[in-house]
Amino acid sequence: MLGSVGFGELLLIGIVALIVFGPQRLPEIARKAGQLMAQARRATREFTDALDAEYEGASSPLRELQNEYESTKRQLTDSVSKLTDMTGKAPPETSNDDAIVESGDDGSAGVERGIDSQTGDEPEDDEAP
């Protein structure tokens, strides 16, 4: 909560310390407070370094997975960019909702029908049901 102390609060603390400890002892107390803060920061840094070293084995697979994800994402982005450069236009946007898969009567692999992205209509069937 030290970060929430404003200038006015610090000024008030300084005035109270000056009154309580006097002008002769105030520099000595400020020096001691600075040393204590440095020790606290050092101890905190050592503690966090120890925790990082302890849990390195546990977080290593997550980092590898994140790196693999980023690499795959980069490769896909590069492929789309190359495709766009080759064709001169961006590939069509697709989502899972844009395609309907119908299976044949004999249980064979389905036929995919796309939805027109401009009108939102499904293509008309050539055969009656």
Side-chain angles (χ1 to χ4, degrees):
M1 274 200 29
L2 187 60
S4 64
V5 176
F7 180 73
E9 289 89 358
L10 286 176
L11 185 62
L12 181 64
I13 291 170
I15 292 172
V16 169
L18 183 63
I19 293 171
V20 171
F21 297 114
Q24 289 80 20
R25 292 191 58 209
L26 197 58
E28 176 186 335
I29 293 172
R31 198 172 308 115
K32 288 282 187 185
Q35 290 173 351
L36 287 174
M37 288 297 294
Q39 287 177 350
R41 286 185 187 141
R42 192 175 314 117
T44 303
R45 185 173 46 247
E46 290 173 1
F47 180 71
T48 55
D49 289 346
L51 280 178
D52 288 343
E54 182 71 27
Y55 290 108
E56 179 64 29
S59 63
S60 177
L62 292 175
R63 285 193 191 110
E64 290 174 8
L65 186 61
Q66 183 179 13
N67 290 338
E68 184 179 337
Y69 168 76
E70 293 296 331
S71 173
T72 304
K73 183 178 168 185
R74 238 185 335 271
Q75 289 173 351
L76 287 173
T77 303
D78 292 344
S79 297
V80 169
S81 173
K82 287 178 185 176
L83 180 65
T84 303
D85 291 343
M86 288 176 21
T87 62
K89 58 182 175 179
E93 295 290 327
T94 60
S95 70
N96 292 340
D97 296 337
D98 289 345
I100 300 172
V101 176
E102 297 177 351
S103 61
D105 293 336
D106 59 354
S108 62
V111 177
E112 192 171 308
R113 295 188 315 174
I115 296 176
D116 189 350
S117 62
Q118 293 179 355
T119 64
D121 297 333
E122 292 183 18
E124 294 184 20
D125 290 337
D126 293 337
E127 301 175 14

